[in-house]
Structure formats: C-alpha cells, structure tokens
Amino acid sequence: MRLQQYDKAVSSYEGLLASLKPDQQFYYLSGFNDMMAQVVKESTEAQRYRDAMNWVNRWLDVSPKNQQALLYAVNLSHQMQDKGQMLTFAKRANEAFPDESIFKVRLASAMQLNGAPTKDIWALMGEEVIRNPYHNEVVNAYVQASHDHAAQLLSEKAENEALLVADKGLQYKPANKELKYLKGLAYEKLKQYDSAFYYQSFYEPSLLELDEFKANLKYLNYKMYQNEFAISHMRSRYGDYYSIQTISALEYMRMCAKNNYTARVFYSGREEGKGVQGQLEWGRNWSSHWASRVDFSVSNKYFSKFAVHGAIIRTFPKDWELELGVGHRKLYNDEKLSSAVVGVGKDFNQFRLQAKFTQAGLQEKWVYNVAAQARYSFDNPKNYVLALANMGSTPDVDILDYQRLNTLSVMNSMVGAGVGRLLTKNVSASVMGTWYNFQTSPNPEQYRNLYNLFLQVNVAF
C-alpha cells in the first residue's frame, strides 16, 4: 500500500516537473529529491535492491546530476553484483563531481571489479590521495590499489618496481602488514634474504597457514647465510655386476649480492687407481631477468680431462624461464664432445616443470638427449620431491663427466626420483636415485642397466 502511495506521489511530481520550464523546476526539485531519497532508503533497508534501483533510475531521469542519486546508483549496482552497471554509474558520477573523493573511491572499486589494469587504478587513487591525504576511504583505497599493483608487478618479475609501489602505499599506512609482506616477497625474488625475512615476518598467518609460514621463514633464515659447505656421495653399480663404484665430492659456495662462487673437488677410487677432478664455477645475477653461469674443470683420471660450460638464463613474466648453454669437454679416452643446450622452465606455484634438449658433436657424429624434470616444493624450495627422465643417442652429458657411461650413438634412457629436506635452520639434505638403460650391441640388440644413488648434505654458515 505504501509503495502504491509513493508511486502515485512520484508520478504526480514527474508530471508536474515535465510540464514546467527548466527555470521553474528548481522550486519543486527539492521536495522531489527528498521524497525519492526516502523511498530509495526504505527499499534499500528492506533489501529490495531491484525496486530501489528502479526508483533511482526514475530519480535520475528527472535529476540526472543529483549527487545522492548517483551514489545510490553505484552502491546498489554493487549490492546487485552488476559490475558493468556499477562502472557506468561510477564514471558518470565522477564526471559530474570530479572533486568528490567518494566517487573516486567508488570508481576505483568498480574498475577493480571489471578487471581494469592495476596500474590505472593505482594512478587514479594516487592523484586523489595527494589531494586528500586524510580521507580514510581514500587512503584505504590507495593502499589497496598499491597492494594490488605491487602484486601484479611481482607476477611480471618487476620486483624493484613492486618495492617502489609498496613503499608509496606504506607512506600513508606505515603499519600495513600486507604491504610489508609483499615487500618481503619482492626481496625474496631479488635474493635479498635478510630483508625478505624481516618483512615477511610481519605477516599474520591463519592456523592453516602457520606451519607453512614457519617453514618458509626457516628457509629464508637458511638463505641469509653467505657460505655453504656440501658433501656428496654417489654409489653406482651395473645390474649384472655386483661391484659398487663410488664418487665423493666436497663443495664450498660463497654467495654474494650479485655473484656466486663455487669450488668442487670430486674423488673416485677404482681398481685401476684414483681419480680427482677440480671444478670452479661462477654465477652472476645481472638483473632480475638475466643471469649467467660459467664453470671449468680438470682431472687426472676417470673424469673428463677438462671441461668448460657456459649458460645464460632469461626469466619472463608468468614464471617462464629460458636457458641457453654451450660446453666443450675432452673425455678421458681423448674423445672431444661439444654440446649446445636449450632449456625451458615454468613454475606453477609449488610445481616446477623443466625440459632440456642437448645437441652434441662427437668426433664428427651428432648425438642428442631430451630431458624432463618435475619438481614439487612443499612449504619452501628446500623441502621437495622430484622426478626426472631423459632419453637420446647419448646419456645426459653430466654423467659423461664421471665416465660411468660412454654409450654414444646408441639408444640411452634414464628415469629417476629424489627428495630434499631442510633439517635445521642451516642444514639440508637430499637423496636421489637414477636408473639408466642403454644399448650395448645393435645386432643382436642387447641392453644393460646402471643404478645410481646420490646422497648430499649441505651446511650453511
């Protein structure tokens, strides 16, 4: 009954205003606006949003630039989850009242819901927060826009830009923990682990996230150490031969801001004597997108007499990675092997998939190997399981360094699996097993198996 009375009253006002000249309507608009505000308010409080929106549309037909009507139109569109209509009304309100902060806030919200670029929303609220730095809704909207844009930049591998955006948001809310956590993620990507640990520690995880959060802080603490010592041991035997051969290695790594330096010594004692290989490696992060790695090794027996490798790594948005590498080695039997490697990697949150293609030349023969690896990290990259496989006319070139397989120009295949674990704040360990199957005779076809077990312990200090 009450709605019917409102409808009659509104219709009467509409008829009256339509019969008047524009300069005469002014005297009646005040009463019309008051009545429309009342009926829209009652409908909204009763959660009759569709009815309320119909009233608002009639209101705007008569008074198209009424501030209260436009605000109702935006808010009701949001309540009705009509994102497109909300954006339309928010733009209209902002054009009609460009100095009203509340319409800037609503426009930013509508743009976000409609998938507008985070950069545009951040720029919009950046201008408004400078003009009105003490308006709570403006400050909150700017901080949220800073968070969203910084997160987008992180996904695009633009860590330094993400830090700048987060810092601007923190100027207005210095205690905002979400922005601090984002800074921690950016610093982790930049391998500045001390800063990453500091800023990520502000995060307040839920009970479901607590164990994973603690484990990640433990990993960041591990990565804060600049020195790392590793000892590894590999045990190998053929499937048809019970004698076990071993290779042990010691490794020292020095990790600096941009450069990593590694020295390794491999040792193998066999029936024919002892073999020792020394290796030096230099890795450098040139920027957040480019990195390189070079290593050189020499030996007296069993290993490659000398080997040199180089690689460049380029990261792309959406967690893609491309690696291009070349290498040359002189095997212990004086054969020379030159190789080129193309690798592609992709991160899917905690999963990492990687594929590599190796093309090698040996004494005027071309051989190849195709390899794939899948890795799942649990709560941090040191806690993982992995599976790997490869096949081709040569085994993976790394195993050639150990002179365990010299089966070239015949079919080789390998499967393997491993697991790693961060044991304490500065000690980690890993175990991996591989099974090689390779052809020993083409006619008749004969195959042989080789089994390897790798054990490694790392200590950071």
Side-chain angles (χ1 to χ4, degrees):
M1 188 60 143
R2 188 177 179 86
L3 286 175
Q4 291 177 351
Q5 292 174 344
Y6 274 133
D7 186 57
K8 288 181 180 180
V10 171
S11 296
S12 297
Y13 255 117
E14 289 172 335
L16 174 62
L17 291 168
S19 66
L20 297 174
K21 295 180 180 180
D23 59 338
Q24 296 174 321
Q25 291 179 353
F26 173 80
Y27 300 102
Y28 299 94
L29 273 177
S30 177
F32 175 77
N33 290 334
D34 290 343
M35 184 178 63
M36 294 305 296
Q38 181 63 31
V39 68
V40 171
K41 179 184 177 184
E42 289 183 11
S43 297
T44 302
E45 289 176 348
Q47 297 184 351
R48 297 193 302 269
Y49 299 133
R50 192 172 299 279
D51 291 339
M53 179 57 74
N54 290 333
W55 290 116
V56 168
N57 285 326
R58 291 177 69 175
W59 189 356
L60 289 171
D61 286 341
V62 175
S63 184
K65 291 190 176 181
N66 184 278
Q67 183 174 342
Q68 191 175 11
L70 287 169
L71 185 57
Y72 268 124
V74 174
N75 291 342
L76 284 168
S77 298
H78 182 260
Q79 291 287 351
M80 297 167 64
Q81 299 183 0
D82 191 333
K83 299 181 291 185
Q85 181 174 266
M86 181 184 178
L87 182 60
T88 299
F89 279 120
K91 288 180 176 179
R92 178 175 166 181
N94 186 60
E95 290 172 0
F97 301 95
D99 294 330
E100 285 296 326
S101 296
I102 191 64
F103 288 131
K104 290 288 195 303
V105 173
R106 295 297 188 271
L107 178 57
S109 179
M111 291 171 65
Q112 189 273 329
L113 289 173
N114 282 272
T118 58
K119 183 179 181 180
D120 294 347
I121 302 172
W122 182 65
L124 172 71
M125 293 314 304
E127 294 176 359
E128 186 62 22
V129 79
I130 292 173
R131 193 176 67 86
N132 203 347
Y134 303 108
H135 192 293
N136 284 335
E137 286 196 64
V138 170
V139 170
N140 290 337
Y142 178 67
V143 169
Q144 183 62 49
S146 298
H147 176 276
D148 295 342
H149 188 41
Q152 178 63 32
L153 289 169
L154 272 182
S155 71
E156 296 171 357
K157 302 291 186 181
E159 291 84 6
N160 289 312
E161 291 87 342
L163 287 172
L164 291 174
V165 171
D167 282 336
K168 288 184 178 294
L170 287 168
Q171 290 177 7
Y172 295 92
K173 278 204 168 183
N176 187 276
K177 295 179 179 180
E178 291 186 352
L179 281 176
K180 288 183 177 180
Y181 180 66
L182 271 179
K183 285 189 67 174
L185 295 179
Y187 279 122
E188 182 177 355
K189 296 287 187 181
L190 292 170
K191 296 181 172 55
Q192 298 180 28
Y193 296 107
D194 51 350
S195 296
F197 180 88
Y198 173 76
Y199 283 104
Q200 289 191 35
S201 64
F202 286 98
Y203 185 66
E204 294 181 351
S206 66
L207 289 176
L208 293 176
E209 298 173 316
L210 185 59
D211 290 341
E212 183 176 344
F213 176 70
K214 288 182 176 179
N216 193 60
L217 285 184
K218 185 177 177 181
Y219 166 74
L220 293 176
N221 185 76
Y222 179 94
K223 297 296 289 185
M224 286 167 61
Y225 296 104
Q226 292 187 305
N227 302 282
E228 188 170 23
F229 176 78
I231 182 170
S232 60
H233 185 69
M234 183 178 77
R235 298 173 67 83
S236 305
R237 81 170 182 86
Y238 289 98
D240 56 355
Y241 187 60
Y242 290 99
S243 175
I244 294 177
Q245 294 187 354
T246 63
I247 296 176
S248 298
L250 295 176
E251 174 182 313
Y252 169 74
M253 179 184 290
R254 172 68 177 177
M255 292 159 285
C256 304
K258 293 286 188 180
N259 300 287
N260 295 329
Y261 306 95
T262 305
R264 300 183 182 93
V265 177
F266 298 88
Y267 170 84
S268 180
R270 303 180 187 177
E271 295 177 356
E272 300 85 358
K274 302 173 183 178
V276 178
Q277 182 186 55
Q279 184 182 69
L280 296 176
E281 180 180 305
W282 170 48
R284 179 172 176 82
N285 295 312
W286 300 95
S287 69
S288 58
H289 297 290
W290 291 96
S292 63
R293 183 179 64 250
V294 178
D295 67 75
F296 175 77
S297 60
V298 294
S299 75
N300 68 331
K301 200 172 187 180
Y302 300 139
F303 306 92
S304 296
K305 286 188 175 181
F306 75 85
V308 59
H309 308 95
I312 56 174
I313 300 97
R314 174 71 162 91
T315 58
F316 296 92
K318 307 299 182 182
D319 295 317
W320 283 95
E321 181 180 278
L322 174 67
E323 177 180 344
L324 301 175
V326 293
H328 181 76
R329 69 195 72 209
K330 184 177 182 181
L331 305 180
Y332 192 69
N333 58 8
D334 288 331
E335 290 183 315
K336 296 179 181 179
L337 180 74
S338 298
S339 59
V341 178
V342 178
V344 178
K346 175 75 169 84
D347 291 328
F348 300 89
N349 295 323
Q350 292 169 279
F351 279 99
R352 177 172 177 78
L353 301 180
Q354 190 172 23
K356 283 189 177 183
F357 176 76
T358 302
Q359 181 78 66
L362 176 73
Q363 305 296 107
E364 299 183 354
K365 292 181 181 180
W366 289 101
V367 292
Y368 73 95
N369 183 270
V370 179
Q373 183 182 115
R375 179 181 179 128
Y376 178 79
S377 298
F378 294 97
D379 37 33
N380 67 67
K382 284 289 184 180
N383 295 336
Y384 64 87
V385 292
L386 65 85
L388 62 160
N390 69 57
M391 65 177 297
S393 56
T394 175
D396 49 292
V397 292
D398 293 334
I399 201 71
L400 292 175
D401 284 335
Y402 304 145
Q403 293 292 283
R404 299 296 291 128
L405 288 179
N406 290 320
T407 53
L408 301 168
S409 298
V410 295
M411 181 54 65
N412 294 263
S413 61
M414 181 274 285
V415 293
V419 60
R421 185 72 182 174
L422 182 59
L423 303 176
T424 69
K425 68 177 184 179
N426 68 325
V427 178
S428 64
S430 62
V431 180
M432 184 175 70
T434 58
W435 168 27
Y436 286 84
N437 179 262
F438 56 94
Q439 189 176 4
T440 57
S441 174
N443 190 20
E445 287 190 0
Q446 293 183 354
Y447 292 85
R448 200 177 184 191
N449 296 314
L450 174 68
Y451 303 99
N452 299 300
L453 180 65
F454 301 83
L455 306 171
Q456 183 164 316
V457 176
N458 297 64
V459 180
F461 58 96

